[in-house]
Amino acid sequence: MLENKAQEQERIFAEEAAVVHAQTLLHRVMENKGMSRADLARAMNVSRARVTQIFSDECSNLTVRLLARALWALKEELALLTETDVECIRDESHLLAAGSMIAERNVLWTEIHEPMQQCAEISTANDNMFDGLSLARVNRQAYEEMAA
Amino acid sequence: MSSEEGDSLEAIECDLLIERFGARVVIRRMVRKVFDALNDKQRGRLIAIMGRWCQDPRLLTQEMFNGNEGRTPRHSMMLQAIKIRKVRLYGFAKAVGRRKTFVIVDADPSKKQDKADQNVLKRARNRSDDVIDILEGK
């Protein structure tokens, strides 16, 4: 299929986004586990330079296989999702959270964003993306007291 | 984007590059042509890095982002850099129009070594202060 210029740019942007996503994912896992690049190189049984290559701009050999190997060395497993999958999961989480507000059993965390964002989102307690940000996390009891 | 946010960006003569997760990256028009002159791969990678910045700057690697390029002389704002190989986009993070925003004020597209060009750094710091003056109505 022949690409026009706009399509070619879109494709290149999508490829670069995927590479950045893979690199930041690996970086995040390493940070969470307190592992340096030297540690990762040892765990993967490769040179330090090889690990540096993984995080470089070019990284022309950052294959899915290599990424999986790096994550395995970090005792993690690669899970591949599309944006559509992510949106479905997010929608389901919101529905679940909304349902949980009424349910008696589940603990629900309400995250209030920084004042500049002015909106509150409901999410599950295990959402690591918000970990450490300037958010106030309150449990359901406190939320209900606030809402009253 | 609300009209208030649009007015804020217009006041500092900025274009929106990307917005995600309630945050955004904007670029001063005087710097825009430098960014647009980069090839697709370079711009693609920078936009992707900016997207991750919007999500959480801590996700970024040292190759992608430097959170400390020194403070600006008048407002003591921390200058930061979004990076790819041989290209640095300098700016600062601030709430603009009540939204977390990275404002790109300068670019060094011809970085030939790992160390930053001190002249560009100094210029970027001054430009940041000028933008903050506008934002704070000084």
Side-chain angles (χ1 to χ4, degrees):
Chain A
M1 183 179 80
L2 289 175
E3 279 180 331
N4 62 31
K5 190 79 176 108
Q7 286 171 325
E8 183 189 3
Q9 182 186 275
E10 269 184 39
R11 173 182 59 76
I12 291 171
F13 274 37
E15 288 174 8
E16 292 303 314
V19 170
V20 166
H21 190 163
Q23 290 170 328
T24 54
L25 169 69
L26 194 56
H27 175 70
R28 176 167 63 87
V29 173
M30 287 169 65
E31 291 274 301
N32 286 346
K33 291 182 184 281
M35 283 187 78
S36 67
R37 292 187 183 183
D39 293 332
L40 180 60
R42 271 190 292 275
M44 289 177 70
N45 200 25
V46 299
S47 67
R48 176 79 169 80
R50 188 80 177 88
V51 170
T52 299
Q53 264 186 342
I54 291 173
F55 289 102
S56 70
D57 283 24
E58 282 75 35
C59 62
S60 53
N61 52 4
L62 180 56
T63 60
V64 172
R65 197 178 297 279
L66 181 60
L67 181 60
R69 181 177 169 187
L71 287 169
W72 178 84
L74 294 166
K75 301 194 186 339
E76 288 283 350
E77 203 171 310
L78 177 64
L80 296 174
L81 298 172
T82 65
E83 279 293 321
T84 308
D85 293 333
V86 171
E87 280 169 25
C88 286
I89 291 169
R90 196 175 290 144
D91 289 343
E92 284 175 17
S93 295
H94 284 168
L95 285 173
L96 185 67
S100 295
M101 290 221 17
I102 306 167
E104 290 299 316
R105 274 176 286 174
N106 297 326
V107 175
L108 177 72
W109 295 88
T110 298
E111 294 177 338
I112 313 297
H113 286 261
E114 294 171 43
M116 66 187 74
Q117 290 191 312
Q118 301 291 311
C119 64
E121 286 187 4
I122 312 288
S123 104
T124 62
N126 290 328
D127 190 342
N128 289 328
M129 286 203 290
F130 296 98
D131 188 32
L133 288 179
S134 303
L135 302 174
R137 305 186 85 179
V138 298
N139 64 21
R140 190 173 78 139
Q141 182 183 3
Y143 175 81
E144 285 172 352
E145 286 170 4
M146 282 164 58
Chain B
M1 183 165 40
S2 70
S3 61
E4 179 191 344
E5 288 170 352
D7 290 343
S8 298
L9 293 190
E10 199 49 48
I12 54 174
E13 297 174 348
C14 279
D15 292 333
L16 177 68
L17 285 181
I18 185 169
E19 61 183 337
R20 296 192 74 186
F21 304 100
R24 61 191 172 174
V25 178
V26 303
I27 186 167
R28 293 212 80 199
R29 279 182 209 126
M30 64 166 71
V31 186
R32 181 75 195 251
K33 59 180 181 292
V34 173
F35 178 78
D36 288 343
L38 300 173
N39 64 42
D40 286 345
K41 210 165 177 314
Q42 289 173 313
R43 283 185 295 113
R45 185 167 173 86
L46 283 167
I47 290 283
I49 292 169
M50 291 172 196
R52 290 288 151 189
W53 180 90
C54 290
Q55 183 177 356
D56 183 352
R58 294 170 304 164
L59 292 171
L60 301 175
T61 67
Q62 64 201 25
E63 288 85 356
M64 296 172 184
F65 183 74
N66 184 1
N68 185 353
E69 295 279 5
R71 291 196 176 271
T72 64
R74 286 183 284 117
H75 292 282
S76 198
M77 177 66 74
M78 183 64 78
L79 189 73
Q80 301 179 322
I82 291 172
K83 308 189 290 177
I84 58 173
R85 193 158 172 262
K86 293 188 178 175
V87 180
R88 287 191 183 208
L89 301 178
Y90 291 107
F92 61 91
K94 188 172 170 53
V96 176
R98 301 195 302 174
R99 193 189 284 242
K100 178 177 132 188
T101 305
F102 191 90
V103 183
I104 296 170
V105 300
D106 213 331
D108 186 355
S110 56
K111 202 170 67 61
K112 291 181 170 57
Q113 54 182 4
D114 247 356
K115 287 169 69 172
D117 182 321
Q118 292 304 310
N119 291 330
V120 176
L121 263 181
K122 186 178 174 185
R123 188 179 71 193
R125 288 182 194 131
N126 287 331
R127 284 184 178 181
S128 297
D129 274 340
D130 293 341
V131 171
I132 295 167
D133 282 343
I134 299 170
L135 288 172
E136 296 184 354
K138 295 191 170 118

